[in-house]
Amino acid sequence: MESSVGIADALKSFCGELPELREQARQDGWSAELVRTLTEMRAGTLPVTTAMARTYDRAGLPLRTRRYAPVPGQDPAAPPAGAYTCPGGRCSRVEPREPGGPLPECALFDEPLAFG
């Protein structure tokens, strides 16, 4: 998989939008196509940007791979202690810990987020 800040941020948004994209695919009859695309992406045989472009195109949405980037020379702040993050370190998603709250899950890879 590609590994850049831009791709990680785009993947974060894609993961967050995936439940709605899955519902749209179900309603419009392209669920099997979405499953194949995500399976290929997970296996590393389809680049993340290609999988996203294919999915957004099928949903009639624009591909959005450019996100916020820090000012050159400034490092982004470290996430607060006790947060949930992407289980494989593939995206930049960070969810704060909510005592008694549900365990956040990665909709893209069907795994719970990692705590750390």
Side-chain angles (χ1 to χ4, degrees), residues 38-83:
L38 296 176
T39 299
E40 291 175 29
M41 188 187 77
R42 288 180 191 129
T45 58
L46 183 67
V48 171
T49 53
T50 304
M52 291 171 55
R54 188 183 290 176
T55 303
Y56 283 130
D57 183 58
R58 190 67 168 95
L61 299 170
L63 175 63
R64 298 174 300 266
T65 58
R66 295 185 61 96
R67 300 287 189 243
Y68 166 80
V71 175
Q74 291 183 337
D75 292 325

